[in-house]
Amino acid sequence: MSWFDVALFTEVFVTLFVIMDPPGTVPVFLALTSRMTAQDRKRAARTAIFVAFGVIVVFALFGQLLLEHMGISLAALQASGGLLLLLVALELLMGKMDAGETESGGSTKNVALVPLATPLLAGPGTIVATMVFVQQGVSAGESAVGHYASIGVGIVAVCVCTWAAMRFAGLVHRVLKDSGVTLVTRIAGVLLAAIAVQMIANGVIEFVRTV
């Protein structure tokens, strides 16, 4: 009996790292937190990671049952996540995110929960990939402890990398200054819009295939 599968850990880590893309979250994180203080930015990064980790774990363990119970397909989940990201992208492009009100901390929590934690980090791609890894172990009849441990450590490792990228995004902010962050905000809006449209398209295509 193996208590830890290195090959599975590597596969989970590489797959989720590519999907969550820690380096790619830096410009979006800077755009969403451009008017926050350094302390609020750290708090937003920490909150986003904890919430994203929780969402991933819950869907990994109960996602299939939850979606089946509610009659929701993975394609619908993907398309809805894309629509939510598209709305955020439009706000970034129009500059509405620049006026983030963080005096009371409310905006910090909102940005950390949506869209950072979900659907940006714990999005449809991350959720589906994790559910597939868990399901593969169940169907293959592998050691539950070793399989879940390998997946769990892989998820934690990627979350730590993503948190580090956001945690030290402040260094990038100090280098770029406010004008540079404004430029990054617009670029991030364009990239986020492209990601959102692709997510919606993939969801629609998958939905049509299953009909």
Side-chain angles (χ1 to χ4, degrees):
M1 179 183 297
S2 175
W3 296 100
F4 190 80
D5 189 337
V6 177
L8 177 60
F9 161 77
T10 303
E11 186 179 0
V12 171
F13 178 82
V14 172
T15 301
L16 296 186
F17 190 92
V18 171
I19 295 175
M20 294 177 72
D21 188 18
T25 63
V26 172
V28 178
F29 181 75
L30 283 176
L32 295 173
T33 61
S34 61
R35 292 296 181 267
M36 290 184 184
T37 63
Q39 192 63 31
D40 284 337
R41 191 177 293 114
K42 293 177 184 177
R43 189 180 300 112
R46 186 170 59 250
T47 301
I49 285 299
F50 278 122
V51 173
F53 177 78
V55 171
I56 294 171
V57 170
V58 168
F59 271 93
L61 298 176
F62 311 108
Q64 195 64 43
L65 292 175
L66 180 63
L67 293 181
E68 289 178 357
H69 176 72
M70 299 182 67
I72 301 174
S73 66
L74 292 177
L77 182 65
Q78 188 168 13
S80 63
L83 285 172
L84 181 57
L85 280 184
L86 185 59
L87 292 176
V88 174
L90 291 175
E91 290 187 346
L92 289 176
L93 288 171
M94 292 185 293
K96 291 185 178 181
M97 285 289 186
D98 292 347
E101 299 173 359
T102 60
E103 290 82 356
S104 63
S107 180
T108 302
K109 294 179 180 178
N110 291 339
V111 168
L113 296 177
V114 179
L116 279 177
T118 180
L120 198 56
L121 299 181
T126 308
I127 291 172
V128 171
T130 308
M131 287 172 59
V132 169
F133 282 124
V134 172
Q135 196 60 35
Q136 285 176 347
V138 173
S139 60
E142 298 176 6
S143 167
V145 175
H147 192 80
Y148 286 127
S150 303
I151 295 175
V153 174
I155 295 172
V156 170
V158 176
C159 285
V160 169
C161 292
T162 307
W163 169 81
M166 294 189 295
R167 169 65 177 77
F168 296 104
L171 296 176
V172 180
H173 184 273
R174 284 196 290 271
V175 172
L176 294 178
K177 307 298 182 183
D178 288 341
S179 58
V181 171
T182 300
L183 176 62
V184 170
T185 298
R186 301 300 181 263
I187 296 175
V190 174
L191 295 176
L192 202 58
I195 294 173
V197 171
Q198 187 63 56
M199 286 176 60
I200 296 172
N202 291 342
V204 172
I205 292 172
E206 188 62 31
F207 181 79
V208 172
R209 285 177 179 173
T210 56
V211 172

